[in-house]
Amino acid sequence: MPYPDAVNCHAVFSSGVDLEQIRRIAVNTGGGDAPGLNAVIRSIVLSALRRGWEVVGIRKGYEGLLDTSKIMQLDRDSVRGITHLGGTILGTTNRNSPFEYPVRVSGGGTTLVDRSDEVVENFRRLQIDALIAIGGDGSMRIASGLVKKGLPIVGVPKTIDNDLSGTVITFGFDTAVTVATEAIDRLHSTAEAHERVFVVEVMGRYAGWIALHSGVSATADVVLIPEIPYDIDAVCAKIMDREARGRRFSIVVVAEGARPKDGEIVAKDQGAGREKLLGGISERLAAEIQERTGKETRTVVLGHLQRGGGPTTFDRLLALRFGAAAVRMVADRRFDVMVALDPPTVLAVPIEVATERMKSVPLDCDTMLTARDLGISFGDDGGGGV
Ligand code: F6P
């Protein structure tokens, strides 16, 4: 329901802004999906409708602004009952940036074309007053480029990897950590029963947040993160140290972006305009552990289970808060910003803060220190442990 009159609007949102200038806003979701996307969408739609605005959804990242048949009207009914659902009702993609859009060329292959002017043109033609772009670093980079072309955009940070700067946490991360923790918990009993080593590979791209938080919570013995290239001797020493103390099984959590001291990240090239696909380190690591320690070693790759399904309560609430805050930014006509969590507050930071550098795990952060005090090895300490 729109506010009954403009006076009330200004009474509630007294930011000196003429709210009547906003009539229609758009929302899109870009990059890999993360649990909580639907909660943000619902929060944006309801908060906008309350202000008397119209909301349109742009399907599949920016595809809907290149092919406007993919625009959908979002009303109260379209967002009913979706807060707890995984995925995104708008669809998403982690390819096809409008600035580097892959186009097939005759004779095979693809070339990258800048189609951002079409996005700007369609945005104006559809009389959209503002866009709320929900996404990770790639999406924030696109948003930043479009802001430079004059589009009024507010970003909402999303990624299970938690590697976006400017915000203490992104929604989706808590769900991924919860899934990984539960999985590692389950592996303890089978590892112990068979006296095996388990190597559990988790996502996170070039940051070790998921590995660190799930590894510590689920009492892993070794946690390998991209921020600390590991020494295989140190990993095996930790396993053998446990063996000597009668603990004949071990759990190693490895981030997909981890690499040995003298080696490379395991990744597949996905072609022009696409990020490398990380994954496969657990197989290599397990083979080496088995060979060096003589211990039977198995691998578990958690993969997309970490981002499938509904969000945890923490992620739901954060997503709802981010969505409502983004609408307040639009109402205040604060663009070129991303909403961010600086506990306990949700505030705005310049979008560029999110894209300038990746947020790695600080090696002196409290969770790292806790892990070391608990005797967890990061593959850099010759076995560590107590
Ligand atoms: O960025 C989220 C993420 O799940 C990463 O952790 C992972 O490396 C990547 O996306 C997987 O991408 P895709 O969905 O293309 O397999």
Side-chain angles (χ1 to χ4, degrees):
M1 278 287 288
Y3 282 100
D5 55 58
V7 176
N8 268 354
C9 282
H10 283 275
V12 179
F13 305 103
S14 57
S15 52
V17 169
D18 182 359
L19 293 186
E20 282 171 3
Q21 286 178 10
I22 306 283
R23 286 185 187 82
R24 174 182 294 152
I25 66 165
V27 54
N28 70 353
T29 52
D33 67 325
L37 284 171
N38 283 324
V40 189
I41 295 168
R42 177 172 155 87
S43 184
I44 289 169
V45 171
L46 296 187
S47 305
L49 293 179
R50 283 189 79 228
R51 288 165 170 82
W53 307 344
E54 204 188 314
V55 188
V56 293
I58 301 167
R59 290 190 55 78
K60 294 195 82 169
Y62 287 88
E63 291 287 316
L65 281 176
L66 293 170
D67 167 5
T68 52
S69 66
K70 293 196 174 116
I71 294 283
M72 61 195 268
Q73 197 75 25
L74 292 174
D75 57 16
R76 192 167 278 275
D77 283 340
S78 31
V79 296
R80 184 159 286 141
I82 64 168
T83 302
H84 65 295
L85 300 181
T88 158
I89 60 166
L90 295 176
T92 189
T93 176
N94 52 13
R95 58 179 87 176
N96 301 357
S97 157
F99 288 95
E100 290 184 311
Y101 198 88
V103 174
R104 285 204 172 282
V105 286
S106 57
T110 50
T111 183
L112 298 179
V113 174
D114 183 353
R115 296 186 65 189
S116 57
D117 285 342
E118 288 172 66
V119 168
V120 175
E121 204 179 295
N122 283 324
F123 188 93
R124 301 239 156 89
R125 203 166 52 75
L126 291 165
Q127 298 187 309
I128 298 168
D129 297 311
L131 168 67
I132 298 179
I134 314 167
D137 56 341
S139 307
M140 291 307 137
R141 224 162 270 130
I142 296 170
S144 188
L146 293 172
V147 166
K148 289 194 179 83
K149 290 187 166 235
L151 296 195
I153 301 181
V154 173
V156 174
K158 154 259 46 157
T159 168
I160 64 163
D161 304 334
N162 195 36
D163 59 353
L164 263 183
S165 292
T167 183
V168 167
I169 207 160
T170 47
F171 68 85
F173 173 63
D174 184 64
T175 308
V177 170
T178 301
V179 169
T181 302
E182 285 171 8
I184 301 163
D185 279 348
R186 286 185 166 272
L187 291 173
H188 277 273
S189 55
T190 179
E192 185 162 17
H194 286 265
E195 299 186 350
R196 284 173 170 160
V197 176
F198 269 84
V199 178
V200 187
E201 182 175 315
V202 298
M203 283 183 164
R205 295 197 66 76
Y206 303 101
W209 294 104
I210 299 177
L212 175 66
H213 283 228
S214 62
V216 173
S217 305
T219 62
D221 306 297
V222 180
V223 174
L224 303 177
I225 59 176
E227 290 84 350
I228 306 177
Y230 66 84
D231 176 351
I232 187 69
D233 289 333
V235 174
C236 293
K238 171 72 185 180
I239 292 165
M240 295 319 284
D241 175 54
R242 281 175 55 77
E243 190 83 4
R245 288 185 289 111
R247 306 297 282 153
R248 300 190 182 283
F249 71 100
S250 288
I251 306 279
V252 178
V253 174
V254 61
E256 62 182 0
R259 66 177 173 85
K261 250 179 14 188
D262 306 315
E264 294 301 316
I265 286 177
V266 183
K268 271 190 225 132
D269 210 322
Q270 298 200 92
R274 295 218 52 197
E275 294 262 15
K276 279 189 178 153
L277 187 63
L278 273 51
I281 183 70
S282 54
E283 280 299 330
R284 291 195 191 178
L285 184 59
E288 268 190 291
I289 290 173
Q290 183 158 311
E291 195 188 305
R292 286 167 180 252
T293 64
K295 297 232 22 114
E296 201 171 31
T297 304
R298 295 283 189 264
T299 57
V300 174
V301 179
L302 292 179
H304 295 80
L305 283 173
Q306 290 160 97
R307 55 181 228 224
T312 57
T313 307
F314 180 90
D315 279 340
R316 278 184 213 188
L317 183 57
L318 184 61
L320 293 168
R321 291 174 69 196
F322 276 177
V327 169
R328 291 198 297 273
M329 304 292 163
V330 173
D332 286 349
R333 300 194 79 76
R334 290 186 70 189
F335 299 118
D336 196 9
V337 293
M338 179 184 86
V339 300
L341 183 69
D342 183 6
T345 312
V346 172
L347 41 69
V349 297
I351 287 187
E352 259 154 29
V353 169
T355 59
E356 271 164 10
R357 61 174 182 85
M358 189 191 81
K359 187 178 71 190
S360 306
V361 173
L363 299 187
D364 58 352
C365 72
D366 179 75
T367 311
M368 285 291 298
L369 299 180
T370 303
R372 292 211 189 263
D373 279 339
L374 291 170
I376 293 172
S377 166
F378 288 93
D380 62 343
D381 56 5
V386 284

